[in-house]
Structure formats: structure tokens, C-alpha cells
Amino acid sequence: MTPSKVAEIPSGETETETETQTRTHSESAAGADRTSAAAVPAAEPRRRAPGLWRASAARSSVELKAFFRNKQSLVFTLFFPVLLLLVFGSIFSGKVEGTDTDFRQVFMAGIVAAGVMSTAFSGLAISVAIERDTGTIRRLAMTPMPKAAYFIGKLVRVVVTTVLETVLLIGIAVAFFSLPLPETGQRWFTLAWCLALGTAACALAGLAYSAAIPNSRSAPAIVTPVFMVLQFISGVFFPFDKLPVWMQNTAALFPVKWMAQGFRSVFLPDSFTVVEPAGSWELGRIALVLGLWAIGCLAATALTFGWRGPRVR
């Protein structure tokens, strides 16, 4: 038998040709494994869903930018009450019968309530209907964004635009139509809670009412008549006591009447209560009605709002 060939290795030891081939093959395989491992990128860490507050801040920014960049929203939602204030404020004159209060001051207090309804109810109901019809709501539901962030973004938009609308209306009324500012801290406090509760009630009513809007094209036609009718029957354009009793009773079912009454208690003298239906401002009842509207519309929104479904594109 012929002895196997041997190969000399650096250590001075000898090994057979078969062992040499085996060692070479193993080293080549190990090198290939290292090359393959280097070629395959390391797995990226799994992305975490954004936190609620971070997502809410991002969504709020989107809502505000979308609103202020939309000329139709600015004109209809923000400036329409201002236009009504300038037009009717220039037309009305004289004092309300049975009082020493200028009729324009009564109208100024009422138009603030109309401004809240414009930004919180009309603007929100129309925007939700458009987002549902264009598929925005469905796409947002497919993202990692917490669903609560969508509603927080809407709330921030409503709060910012409502405060801006209120400041704008009061500023114009004070500067051009001699509306007196609240004289006491208590009246300022009443303005704050009436504005907060009224905004919450109207915003939640807008969310709930959006379920009745079939598509984006019909949204303004379905929302605007409600907005206009409630203004006329709620004591915005006319002294509330001059309206028919059935109209007063109907208006008492909705929040606009109570907001207008609350704002009258802020800007008008207490002597004006002689023409109020109850003979007083009824601040406790105002808070109760607005609070009940907010709770009821929150429940209705929870039952009717859908992220998916036959009406969500």
C-alpha cells in the first residue's frame, strides 16, 4: 500500500492530503457564512405605535393647518358670523321694549352663541362628513395612530377656532357697537363656563349629527338649515320674549337658546331679566341643559360613529 502524501503546516506538524482538503473546505465554508451574514442586514427593531399625546399633537397640527388653508372653511365657519354681526349691527337701532338696553347689545350677545355653533357644530359636522366620504377616516383607522387622537385633534381645532371666533366677535362689538365688557369677575367666570359647556355641547352634537349626512356633497345643505333655523328661534336676531310661545318652547330644547341666554347674562344689565321668560338668568338651568346635551351627544357619537362600514369609503 502506498503511503498517503503529507503536507507540511506552519506548526511543523504533518497531516494527510485528505485532512488538508477537509480543513480547506471547512475554512471556505466558514468564510462564506461570514460573508452571507455580513450581506444580510440586521433586522430593524419593531416600530412602536406612537403615544397618545404625540399622535394627538400631530393630528391637532394637521387639523389646524387644514382649516386655515381652506378658504371655504374660513369664510363660512369663521367669517359668516362676523358678516352677520356687521350687517345686522348696522341695521338695528333703538331700545328693547320695557328696558333701557340697546337692541344691538342684545343682538351682540346672541351672535356670540351663533359663532360658537358655527365653529363647533357646523364646521365639525361638515368636516367629518367630508373625511368619511373621501376615505380619510378609514385610512386613519388602518394606521398605528390611537383612535382617540383623531377626536382630540378635532377638539383642539374646535377650541382654537371657537376662542378665535369669540374674541373676534366681542372685539368688533366692543369697538364698533359699544358692547360693554363684563364688569365683574363673576361675569367673566360665567362667560368662561358658558363658552366651555356650549362648545362641548355643540361639538359633540356636530359629531353625532354627521351620522345623518349621507355624503360630502350634501353636507352643507343638511347642516346649514339647522344652523340658520336655530339662530332665528333662539333669540339671536330677535328678543326671545317677542317670539311665539311654541317657538320659545321648541328653542328651549336646543343648546343655542341657553348659550344666548348665558351670554346675555354676561353682557347685559340684570335689569334686562324683566323680559326674560323666567324673570331671571337661570344660570343653573343653563349649565344643566348644556351639560346634558354634551353627555347625550357623546353617547350618540359612541353609538353612531364608524371607522368602517358601508357608508365609510
Side-chain angles (χ1 to χ4, degrees):
M1 182 181 298
T2 305
S4 300
K5 294 182 180 180
V6 297
E8 195 173 306
I9 57 177
S11 60
E13 297 179 358
T14 60
E15 61 181 359
T16 65
E17 183 177 358
T18 301
E19 292 173 339
T20 301
Q21 292 175 354
T22 302
R23 177 172 58 82
T24 303
H25 177 73
S26 299
E27 290 176 352
S28 300
D33 290 342
R34 288 193 296 270
T35 303
S36 299
V40 177
E44 295 184 1
R46 189 175 182 179
R47 292 185 178 181
R48 298 176 58 186
L52 176 60
W53 295 115
R54 181 180 176 186
S56 299
R59 190 62 204 168
S60 300
S61 176
V62 171
E63 290 286 346
L64 291 173
K65 288 178 181 178
F67 177 81
F68 286 106
R69 290 174 180 175
N70 189 326
K71 295 180 180 179
Q72 293 180 345
S73 295
L74 284 174
V75 172
F76 180 78
T77 304
L78 201 61
F79 292 117
F80 183 65
V82 173
L83 179 63
L84 292 177
L85 172 65
L86 293 173
V87 171
F88 285 96
S90 302
I91 294 174
F92 293 147
S93 61
K95 297 185 181 298
V96 176
E97 185 180 352
T99 72
D100 291 328
T101 304
D102 192 318
F103 184 80
R104 288 186 300 182
Q105 294 181 358
V106 179
F107 170 71
M108 301 304 161
I111 201 65
V112 174
V116 173
M117 188 180 182
S118 176
T119 55
F121 174 78
S122 301
L124 190 56
I126 292 174
S127 70
V128 170
I130 292 174
E131 289 174 355
R132 185 183 63 215
D133 198 36
T134 57
T136 301
I137 289 178
R138 179 181 57 81
R139 290 194 295 271
L140 288 175
M142 299 171 63
T143 68
M145 180 191 76
K147 291 181 172 58
Y150 175 79
F151 298 103
I152 293 175
K154 292 293 184 188
L155 176 63
V156 170
R157 167 186 164 174
V158 167
V159 169
V160 170
T161 54
T162 300
V163 171
L164 179 60
E165 177 81 286
T166 303
V167 171
L168 192 60
L169 290 172
I170 293 176
I172 293 174
V174 171
F176 297 100
F177 301 107
S178 303
L179 181 71
L181 288 173
E183 299 176 351
T184 64
Q186 182 178 1
R187 291 199 170 199
W188 281 107
F189 178 70
T190 301
L191 173 63
W193 68 254
C194 189
L195 182 62
L197 282 178
T199 301
C202 288
L204 291 168
L207 284 173
Y209 189 67
S210 66
I213 304 174
N215 53 63
S216 59
R217 296 185 301 276
S218 61
I222 293 177
V223 173
T224 304
V226 175
F227 170 60
M228 296 301 299
V229 169
L230 286 179
Q231 289 183 81
F232 278 100
I233 69 174
S234 298
V236 173
F237 299 107
F238 307 99
F240 192 72
D241 66 310
K242 302 300 181 184
L243 299 174
V245 175
W246 69 267
M247 195 175 291
Q248 294 182 30
N249 293 334
T250 303
L253 299 175
F254 298 95
V256 184
K257 179 266 184 188
W258 299 100
M259 281 194 298
Q261 185 171 318
F263 292 135
R264 287 198 298 271
S265 76
V266 171
F267 297 105
L268 304 184
D270 290 334
S271 59
F272 191 80
T273 55
V274 297
V275 296
E276 292 290 338
S280 66
W281 295 125
E282 299 182 285
L283 295 181
R285 180 171 292 184
I286 292 172
L288 177 62
V289 173
L290 294 179
L292 289 176
W293 261 91
I295 294 172
C297 291
L298 177 62
T301 299
L303 292 174
T304 60
F305 188 88
W307 296 93
R308 296 179 178 85
R311 296 180 61 188
V312 181
R313 297 192 178 185

